[in-house]
Amino acid sequence: MTVTIHDVANLAKVSISTVSRAFTTPDLVKPETRNRILAAAGELGYQPTGGPRKPTNRTGHIGIIVSDLDNPFFTGVLNGVQARARQDDVAVLFANSDQDPVVEENLARNMAKQVDGLVLCSPSMSDDQIRDLARQTFVVLLNREIDGIPSVVMDSPGGMHQAIQHLAALGHKRCAFLGGPRNSWANAARLSGLRPAAEQHDIEVVEFGPFPPRFEGGLQGADLALAAGVTAIITYNDLVAFGVLARLNARGVPVPDEISLVGFDDLVFAAISAPPLTTVAMPAEAAGRTAVNVLLALLDDDHRVQINQSLDTYLIVRATTAPPR
């Protein structure tokens, strides 16, 4: 595994900008701090190769790349990003990768030349690609975790546990999970909460997918779940849940009388769907604010801000869940 500037910073217990200064402008770093950094670099075998440096002439711009701007979840993230950046008079450049890792990498490398740092929201690039990008500019991950890279995540496993606990309390014993994209970090995080929670509450879960994380994914998955004889369906996100609702309605299957349904995200439409959707609320706007807060702290060498943060999720019970017949 390639050793990065983040690994050195973690071992030396300093910020990545301090590590960068220790190699580029050592006279600006206290001798004892510089010696600790050099010792950490020697222990890890780190060789500086032009990693991220605190900009001497700040552009006053940060960038954010989202994976699917058609998904209202990312609109919430962008609202939070812009609100927090505005507090420091920082401009935000944003781009949409449309869930294409090649497009995403090209966007990130081009944007890195124009901004002081990047927020990558639900990125689909590989770990190695992101680590390489983090050597060129300051990067904060949102809804993704990679060792040594600053990140803000939402507690998907905890939210999924709440969903299973709710269904178990209603008396459900056999549920379906309609999963998201195959290589999605968020999908893996949801499953990491779903499987142990189902075992704990003695619920059998039938997993289907991958499905596109959109309305069409729910249309595809609903028939499979019905054929499996489940009494409840949990979906990767609310958009998939809306597709399930539409398909069940078309087949004359009443929700929740015949089958219960739980979404994930708590989009604005969840409260006004017919019937209103039980879902796990993901704090998208708060996550956007926090990601910018972390990025600005990195740029300002502010040690008061924790660079890896997890935000709570919570279940909102509405009208799509009920005891099984």
Side-chain angles (χ1 to χ4, degrees):
M1 182 181 295
T2 302
V3 178
T4 71
I5 193 171
H6 301 278
D7 301 320
V8 177
N10 288 337
L11 183 59
K13 293 182 171 56
V14 297
S15 70
I16 57 175
S17 57
T18 302
V19 175
S20 179
R21 281 200 301 273
F23 288 107
T24 57
T25 52
D27 291 342
L28 298 180
V29 181
K30 293 180 180 179
E32 59 270 24
T33 302
R34 184 171 66 248
N35 290 338
R36 191 165 75 251
I37 292 170
L38 294 176
E43 180 178 340
L44 295 172
Y46 172 75
Q47 294 294 328
T49 56
R53 302 176 182 179
K54 185 176 179 180
T56 54
N57 295 311
R58 297 269 283 270
T59 67
H61 295 72
I62 61 172
I64 177 170
I65 299 174
V66 301
S67 61
D68 184 5
L69 201 53
D70 289 335
N71 186 337
F73 170 81
F74 296 106
T75 304
V77 170
L78 286 172
N79 287 339
V81 165
Q82 291 178 320
R84 176 61 186 89
R86 195 179 301 119
Q87 292 178 347
D88 279 31
D89 292 324
V90 172
V92 179
L93 307 181
F94 74 89
N96 175 30
S97 69
D98 201 24
Q99 303 180 64
D100 187 326
V102 176
V103 171
E104 183 177 74
E105 184 181 18
N106 289 336
L107 285 171
R109 295 194 183 282
N110 289 330
M111 191 178 286
K113 303 170 185 176
Q114 308 171 53
V115 298
D116 299 322
L118 286 173
V119 174
L120 302 180
C121 186
S122 299
S124 53
M125 287 185 285
S126 69
D127 287 6
D128 286 344
Q129 287 173 314
I130 292 174
R131 288 182 186 279
D132 185 58
L133 180 66
R135 296 187 190 102
Q136 303 173 41
T137 190
F138 290 90
V139 171
V140 175
L141 302 177
L142 199 163
N143 208 28
R144 174 85 177 266
E145 284 184 308
I146 298 175
D147 287 343
I149 307 292
S151 64
V152 176
V153 298
M154 291 157 277
D155 185 16
S156 291
M160 190 61 78
H161 188 278
Q162 294 175 54
I164 287 291
Q165 188 176 40
H166 171 63
L167 293 174
L170 292 174
H172 292 275
K173 292 294 183 182
R174 183 173 168 85
C175 304
F177 175 65
L178 305 186
R182 187 183 307 277
N183 297 320
S184 164
W185 180 90
N187 191 65
R190 285 155 169 68
L191 287 172
S192 72
L194 172 69
R195 290 166 177 164
E199 183 177 356
Q200 177 185 345
H201 293 283
D202 196 26
I203 290 182
E204 181 184 2
V205 176
V206 186
E207 298 177 17
F208 296 101
F211 296 107
R214 297 175 177 173
F215 183 86
E216 293 77 13
L219 296 177
Q220 297 171 23
D223 291 332
L224 296 174
L226 285 176
V230 301
T231 60
I233 300 172
I234 304 173
T235 62
Y236 171 77
N237 66 12
D238 285 354
L239 292 181
V240 175
F242 297 150
V244 171
L245 272 176
R247 182 57 183 159
L248 294 180
N249 182 63
R251 289 191 55 178
V253 179
V255 176
D257 295 341
E258 187 75 23
I259 194 164
S260 288
L261 178 64
V262 179
F264 222 95
D265 281 345
D266 190 34
L267 301 181
V268 64
F269 307 112
I272 59 175
S273 63
L277 180 67
T278 294
T279 185
V280 175
M282 298 277 276
E285 186 168 337
R289 285 178 176 269
T290 304
V292 174
N293 201 41
V294 171
L295 181 56
L296 295 180
L298 291 171
L299 292 169
D300 293 334
D301 201 14
D302 185 349
H303 299 279
R304 296 171 297 177
V305 176
Q306 184 179 348
I307 65 171
N308 296 104
Q309 298 192 35
S310 178
L311 306 182
D312 291 338
T313 57
Y314 55 95
L315 180 72
I316 298 179
V317 178
R318 296 194 179 103
T320 58
T321 48
R325 282 185 175 179

